[in-house]
Amino acid sequence: MTINDLQGCLSDVCETADQQNGSYSHADYYFSFCNLISHILLFGITVAVVYKCLLLKLAHTAGHAFYCTIGFVFFMGEALLVRNSSSLEAWIGQTNLNRLHAVLGGLAFLVGVGGIAIKTWQKLERKREDPNATVRHFRSNHGFFGKFICTRPKLVWKCLIYSLPSGIIGCAFLLGSVLSGLSLYFISSSIVSLKFLHRFFGLIGFLALMVSQMFGYNTGFGRRQWKAHHQNLFKFFTFIATLTTSNYELRRFLRDIYVLISNSLFEAEPVQAREEL
């Protein structure tokens, strides 16, 4: 495959010559197996957490866990998986595949941010009910690094910003992925650098949010709702789902870096020749 061919594959589903001829390599079978494992684990983790939250009637932290798991684990993971599915593309077409990818990505952001808003609102309500209460947050690996004590009711906007729940880094990258995806859809889908940024934001955002999910099993909510061995199982399955979901996307991301570097080197040669003249 030439450099120009690879450049056209940025953020597109590219088939190898073997796939186009109807045959598949060992790598194809490997990634297909990983996708199957990812679908099973993402669905299973989401169902388990959602079921527990529904039993708790979405009270308190259960509401936050409910929406964040659906948005950041299931929708985000599926958005990555379906975008790289050549079989799904052959079934519904590239245009519909792009739309499905966009819908899942948009739902991941909206539903996940809804879960964050719930937790933020609960902390602000607690402070309003008891002005002397010390609202502590960002004190664990589940949250953003650092800590904040909201003891000044007049600084409500600071309480709103610093009381954001875990995954703030992942949310920032997810927002970048959504905005760059919208730019690709409405402005131009042929901008190579924009495609690269979209993949970068999406991949890093997913990894950060899944790490946050794993740390979430160690929070007070996780310890109260599940036994220690159940927490370990959740962390193990979430870790495996993270690897199996992101490995193909990571492979394409590294290939994109190679393409961009190759293009910059090849484009620099004529300029250098003119300068020597």
Side-chain angles (χ1 to χ4, degrees):
M1 187 176 287
T2 65
I3 296 299
N4 291 334
D5 293 333
L6 284 172
Q7 179 175 334
C9 287
L10 285 175
S11 290
D12 295 328
V13 179
C14 300
E15 295 181 343
T16 63
D18 290 337
Q19 288 176 316
Q20 292 173 353
N21 294 330
S23 60
Y24 292 86
S25 64
H26 293 294
D28 297 324
Y29 285 114
Y30 165 74
F31 287 117
S32 296
F33 176 75
C34 287
N35 286 346
L36 176 62
I37 297 299
S38 296
H39 287 302
I40 295 174
L41 290 179
L42 292 175
F43 180 77
I45 292 169
T46 302
V47 168
V49 175
V50 165
Y51 177 73
K52 173 63 71 172
C53 294
L54 290 176
L55 290 179
L56 299 173
K57 299 181 180 180
L58 303 184
H60 305 294
T61 307
H64 165 67
F66 177 86
Y67 290 106
C68 285
T69 300
I70 293 177
F72 295 147
V73 176
F74 183 74
F75 284 144
M76 186 64 179
E78 290 296 327
L80 293 179
L81 291 174
V82 301
R83 188 62 191 85
N84 296 317
S85 175
S86 57
S87 58
L88 186 59
E89 181 193 22
W91 182 38
I92 65 176
Q94 183 176 353
T95 301
N96 289 329
L97 184 70
N98 290 336
R99 290 171 179 170
L100 179 60
H101 170 73
V103 169
L104 289 172
L107 287 174
F109 180 76
L110 294 176
V111 176
V113 169
I116 288 179
I118 289 175
K119 190 64 177 178
T120 303
W121 179 257
Q122 290 171 351
K123 288 185 174 293
L124 292 177
E125 281 295 302
R126 180 185 174 188
K127 189 62 186 177
R128 291 194 188 97
E129 293 174 358
D130 185 5
N132 296 322
T134 299
V135 178
R136 298 175 182 269
H137 205 40
F138 300 142
R139 304 221 28 169
S140 68
N141 291 326
H142 179 56
F144 188 53
F145 303 105
K147 58 185 179 180
F148 176 76
I149 303 177
C150 184
T151 56
R152 302 177 64 181
K154 293 183 179 180
L155 301 179
V156 176
W157 65 274
K158 285 190 176 181
C159 294
L160 179 63
I161 295 175
Y162 289 105
S163 65
L164 289 175
S166 60
I168 187 65
I169 297 178
C171 286
F173 280 106
L174 180 54
L175 176 60
S177 178
V178 171
L179 294 178
S180 59
L182 290 175
S183 299
L184 285 170
Y185 187 80
F186 290 106
I187 299 177
S188 175
S189 60
S190 60
I191 304 177
V192 174
S193 58
L194 189 57
K195 292 180 179 179
F196 177 80
L197 285 177
H198 178 62
R199 172 162 288 144
F200 171 76
F201 286 138
L203 178 60
I204 301 302
F206 174 74
L207 293 176
L209 290 169
M210 291 298 276
V211 169
S212 177
Q213 179 78 9
M214 284 186 279
F215 282 129
Y217 302 130
N218 292 330
T219 61
F221 174 79
R223 292 194 299 269
R224 288 192 300 270
Q225 304 305 325
W226 292 289
K227 297 179 180 179
H229 67 280
H230 289 153
Q231 291 175 267
N232 292 332
L233 284 175
F234 269 119
K235 285 184 281 188
F236 173 75
F237 287 133
T238 303
F239 177 73
I240 297 300
T242 303
L243 293 181
T244 56
T245 303
S246 62
N247 65 348
Y248 185 74
E249 190 69 19
L250 179 61
R251 177 198 185 198
R252 292 169 61 83
F253 176 69
L254 294 176
R255 187 185 64 185
D256 290 352
I257 295 178
Y258 167 75
V259 173
L260 292 174
I261 293 177
S262 300
N263 288 342
S264 63
L265 291 177
F266 287 138
E267 291 174 359
E269 290 180 355
V271 176
Q272 184 178 1
R274 286 194 297 268
E275 291 177 351
E276 291 175 352
L277 293 175

